[in-house]
Amino acid sequence: MVRAMLRPLLAISAFLLAACVLPAFGIAPQSIESSVKNVGIDPSRSALLIVRLEDGAEWSSGGARVDQRFVAASTSKIPHTLIAIETGAVSGPEEWFEWDGQTRFLPAWNKSQTLADAFRHSTVWIYQTITPRIGSEALHGWLATFGYGNADTGASEDITTYWLRGPLRISAREQVTFLTRLVRHELPLSARTYELAVPVMLAEEGENWRIHAKTGWYSSDEDQDIGWYVGWLEQAGGPAPGSYVFAFNLDVMAPETDIPKRLAAVRQALADIGALPAP
């Protein structure tokens, strides 16, 4: 009889305990499709996921596409930079790389520069110099440890292209999960690697806020082009302070108009949820 009387009390206690540990926001993902539409992007041809780390609040657009994998492209420069510094494949962000004189896609690539410059300019040839120093098997192991998409570095002959053409693929949700571990310093990396690598990833900052991020563009003659923008916002002021991890991808139909929309969509969404001032 005592047990019978206790059951309702225990049930109530369990419910109250659960209510205490659940995040105040984000119990269910909140739609930000209107943010994507407002910058001229079709939500059905894109995916955006934002997670606030303090309480697990989640905002998304694109439905099931959030979990669809695409070629990582230059967003992989985030894990590649971490791995390169951790393994000693580079001495640090200021390591100097001499240009070989070959003219490439972007003017910013056609000069000697540091690793930090290469990250900011997305200089492909420098990362193609670094990945063979690490090796395909080691890179696969690190990416798998990071939980970075399918972690597939392909065959040995793919060592300089596996993130540009595949087979390395990752979803928006997997990008957010990986970046969350990076922000929280939960990746198996030394304090030195975090100290040297994270500042390289700073993309922009304003009053009381910073965005660390990387763009990406998968371009193919046979497949759909994909644009990426991934990273995290550290907001110390405003109406909604916190750490916001985000990942966005879209089908690039017209590069001259679609590529700039990568940043615009993320900034619009962050503004709409109160994490950034209105653009």
Side-chain angles (χ1 to χ4, degrees):
M1 181 177 179
V2 173
R3 289 182 181 176
M5 294 175 62
L6 284 175
R7 284 192 192 107
L9 295 175
L10 292 172
I12 294 172
S13 298
F15 174 80
L16 292 175
L17 179 61
C20 290
V21 300
L22 282 172
F25 306 95
I27 295 175
Q30 303 170 57
S31 174
I32 43 175
E33 288 196 353
S34 60
S35 303
V36 173
K37 289 179 181 177
N38 284 343
V39 296
I41 297 172
D42 183 349
S44 70
R45 304 198 67 138
S46 61
L48 174 57
L49 178 64
I50 302 173
V51 175
R52 184 166 57 207
L53 301 189
E54 285 74 14
D55 58 8
E58 183 176 310
W59 298 264
S60 67
S61 173
R65 178 166 168 145
V66 167
D67 294 299
Q68 185 178 349
R69 286 174 170 169
F70 298 96
V71 175
S74 284
T75 65
S76 67
K77 288 184 174 65
I78 295 179
H80 282 152
T81 300
L82 297 169
I83 297 165
I85 293 175
E86 182 71 15
T87 60
V90 298
S91 58
E94 299 310 310
E95 180 164 336
W96 188 254
F97 293 83
E98 289 288 342
W99 179 44
D100 60 7
Q102 180 180 343
T103 301
R104 296 178 172 87
F105 178 58
L106 294 175
W109 296 1
N110 300 323
K111 60 183 178 179
S112 301
Q113 56 196 280
T114 66
L115 175 66
D117 296 328
F119 184 92
R120 298 184 186 107
H121 298 314
S122 220
T123 310
V124 171
W125 66 265
I126 289 182
Y127 281 85
Q128 290 178 318
T129 301
I130 294 170
T131 50
R133 298 179 184 178
I134 305 168
S136 182
E137 185 175 349
L139 284 161
H140 167 71
W142 277 104
L143 293 171
T145 299
F146 288 173
Y148 194 80
N150 63 7
D152 193 347
T153 56
S156 58
E157 59 267 26
D158 300 320
I159 190 66
T160 59
T161 59
Y162 67 85
W163 69 93
L164 300 171
R165 301 192 306 225
L168 181 63
R169 290 176 172 264
I170 189 168
S171 70
R173 189 178 304 279
E174 288 169 328
Q175 294 267 23
V176 166
T177 300
F178 159 70
L179 291 168
T180 295
R181 294 179 66 195
L182 173 56
V183 173
R184 289 175 169 168
H185 287 206
E186 293 175 351
L187 297 172
L189 300 168
S190 66
R192 176 181 179 272
T193 295
Y194 282 110
E195 182 181 351
L196 292 178
V198 172
V200 171
M201 302 170 190
L202 181 64
E204 58 177 317
E205 58 187 326
E207 185 177 358
N208 296 319
W209 60 267
R210 287 182 171 186
I211 291 178
H212 294 76
K214 187 72 195 75
T215 56
W217 178 9
Y218 166 64
S219 181
S220 171
D221 293 332
E222 296 82 29
D223 201 1
Q224 173 65 57
D225 281 18
I226 299 293
W228 280 103
Y229 188 50
V230 307
W232 68 96
L233 162 70
E234 297 168 352
Q235 174 61 270
S243 297
Y244 297 79
V245 180
F246 59 83
F248 175 70
N249 62 57
L250 81 160
D251 293 347
V252 176
M253 312 301 291
E256 63 278 5
T257 57
D258 290 346
I259 288 300
K261 292 177 182 177
R262 297 173 299 179
L263 278 66
V266 172
R267 287 190 62 88
Q268 183 68 56
L270 289 170
D272 288 347
I273 66 177
L276 273 183

